[in-house]
Amino acid sequence: MSADLSSASSDTPHRSLSWLVLLALAVGGFGIGTGEFVIMGLMPTMAADLGVSEPQVGHVISAYALGVVVGAPILAVLGARLYRRHLLLLLMGFFALGNAATALAPGYHSLILARFVTGLPHGAYFGVGALVAASMVPSHKRAAAVSQVMLGLTIAILIGNPLATLMGQSIDWRYAFVAVSLIALLTMLLVAWVLPLDRSEHRSNPLSELQAFRRIQVWYALGIGAIGFAGMFCVFSYLAVTLLEVTRVSPLVVPVAVATFGAGTLAGNLLGGWLFERLQFRAVAVVLIWSVLVLLFFPFAVQTLWSALLAAFLVGTMVALSPPLQTRLMDVAADAQTLAAASHHAAFNVANALGPWLGGVAISAGLGWTVTGYVGAVTAALGMLLFLLAWRHQRQHPEDMRPGS
């Protein structure tokens, strides 16, 4: 097995190696996606077991998201001098321990702390994984390679979360996090097996990584992700409760709805990579406009079961925003690739914290469960405003798009 990934880009063994590495990274994404989103399907079950309200369980989701926001830049900077193989193994080991702590948490407040700690390695893992994937393909295929790494996360929503939700409903919600911890350990074994150590790999200086935050286009991209994507999390976080309280379905329908949402994320993830290859940064605007329309449709759709399932699928397609924004950040971050790639996931988890919080505030104010659609549409529209500002700045200052500028 060659240790130099760049020198073998044209031969058959390297193509086989690339596929195996992408698979290993996607398994990690599957574990992270299952661990991150399963609480949304188990919200009523966890609320009853912990003796708290559903909006309070929403704070548990926000705690994980806050951990991602804090951990992504810090761990990316601290790990800048490490080889990517070693950093991936450390991050996934950290994630395994965090989910074990979640399963063992004795009460609500300890659960919040455990979820915060578990979220710390999330962004750095996906960021480093995206860089590994992008380094294995021609430049025009980077968005597609990134979307393949993220495929594990979308498959988690399609398959992992419904299964974990059923497990939590039928046995105990804690077993779902035991399963996630085991998936993390499997990922470590796979990465250690298939990803060779490339000693010629460029390792950046932590201080140079911080230079990315001096670039205005980096901040625009992060802002679009943090605000424009909050609507999906706002709706999905309260999807189970909305189906039970508004659509009046059986609890057994909730895993089906979660799987339907997952099918939408699978389609959206693949569509996002395809759009960026054809439209470049304009793909972000297309997805944001689509998001506004879908979120406005949601409150009307959840009145009946079949239209609610359709709405769940459509909301899932909003994840198409991720591959274009991830690739955009890699384009505008110059040499600070690790930090920029990790910060993308920090931004999306600002959205994961912001969406449930805004939705919980609106619901607690007595506006009803379906208000999440309207709240989400507003955040998507604000994301579109940030896109327009970024687009105008790019037209006025094209020199900012040059590497090293």
Side-chain angles (χ1 to χ4, degrees):
M1 185 179 292
S2 172
D4 186 352
L5 296 179
S6 61
S7 65
S9 60
S10 61
D11 58 24
T12 301
H14 177 64
R15 286 196 295 270
S16 299
L17 175 63
S18 299
W19 182 84
L20 288 172
V21 171
L22 289 173
L23 176 63
L25 295 173
V27 171
F30 179 81
I32 289 177
T34 302
E36 180 179 14
F37 295 118
V38 69
I39 292 180
M40 298 167 184
L42 290 174
M43 184 176 284
T45 303
M46 294 178 67
D49 181 60
L50 296 168
V52 297
S53 67
E54 282 86 354
Q56 284 178 295
V57 178
H59 298 328
V60 177
I61 299 171
S62 297
Y64 178 93
L66 182 60
V68 181
V69 174
V70 173
I74 293 176
L75 294 181
V77 170
L78 292 178
R81 287 195 177 278
L82 296 177
Y83 290 111
R84 290 171 182 168
R85 180 180 188 267
H86 294 162
L87 185 53
L88 286 170
L89 291 171
L90 287 172
L91 292 169
M92 195 47 63
F94 196 145
F95 185 73
L97 291 174
N99 279 284
T102 298
L104 297 172
Y108 175 70
H109 293 99
S110 59
L111 178 63
I112 286 182
L113 177 60
R115 294 314 291 161
F116 172 80
V117 171
T118 306
L120 293 173
H122 174 128
Y125 174 84
F126 276 121
V128 175
L131 293 175
V132 171
S135 71
M136 291 182 162
V137 297
S139 59
H140 68 283
K141 294 289 186 181
R142 290 172 305 147
V146 170
S147 71
Q148 289 174 29
V149 174
M150 298 299 294
L151 199 60
L153 190 150
T154 57
I155 293 176
I157 303 173
L158 175 64
I159 299 175
N161 285 349
L163 291 177
T165 299
L166 282 173
M167 181 187 297
Q169 289 177 337
S170 59
I171 307 175
D172 191 300
W173 60 266
R174 297 175 187 274
Y175 284 97
F177 295 100
V178 173
V180 171
S181 187
L182 294 175
I183 294 171
L185 294 176
L186 174 61
T187 302
M188 293 179 68
L189 292 175
L190 290 174
V191 169
W193 177 40
V194 303
L195 182 60
L197 179 60
D198 180 11
R199 295 191 181 278
S200 65
E201 173 185 296
H202 172 70
R203 290 176 291 166
S204 59
N205 185 301
L207 293 178
S208 67
E209 287 282 330
L210 292 172
Q211 297 301 311
F213 290 127
R214 297 177 60 183
R215 301 168 68 91
I216 187 63
Q217 287 293 353
V218 167
W219 285 106
Y220 278 133
L222 293 175
I224 292 169
I227 298 173
F229 204 52
M232 193 197 84
F233 293 110
C234 183
V235 168
F236 185 50
S237 295
Y238 298 99
L239 179 62
V241 188
T242 303
L243 289 170
L244 295 174
E245 298 294 332
V246 178
T247 320
R248 300 290 182 181
V249 301
S250 163
L252 294 177
V253 175
V254 173
V256 176
V258 172
T260 304
F261 173 87
T265 65
L266 180 62
N269 183 62
L270 297 174
L271 179 63
W274 180 85
L275 279 173
F276 189 85
E277 289 178 3
R278 284 151 183 80
L279 300 176
Q280 298 299 300
F281 189 37
R282 289 170 294 175
V284 171
V286 172
V287 178
L288 288 170
I289 293 171
W290 169 251
S291 298
V292 172
L293 296 175
V294 167
L295 291 164
L296 289 175
F297 172 67
F298 178 81
F300 301 97
V302 293
Q303 303 303 320
T304 64
L305 173 59
W306 296 110
S307 59
L309 292 176
L310 172 62
F313 177 87
L314 295 178
V315 171
T317 63
M318 290 171 56
V319 84
L321 189 62
S322 181
L325 274 183
Q326 176 78 84
T327 312
R328 171 71 172 185
L329 270 168
M330 292 162 63
D331 285 341
V332 301
D335 294 329
Q337 293 288 296
T338 303
L339 180 58
S343 295
H344 165 75
H345 295 277
F348 269 44
N349 277 272
V350 170
N352 194 6
L354 182 63
W357 179 75
L358 290 174
V361 169
I363 292 166
S364 299
L367 298 179
W369 296 105
T370 60
V371 73
T372 56
Y374 298 118
V375 172
V378 171
T379 63
L382 291 174
M384 186 63 193
L385 175 61
L386 287 174
F387 168 84
L388 293 174
L389 293 173
W391 184 263
R392 185 180 69 174
H393 186 273
Q394 178 175 309
R395 297 290 296 271
Q396 294 176 345
H397 303 278
E399 69 277 4
D400 285 357
M401 298 301 297
R402 297 171 190 157
S405 61

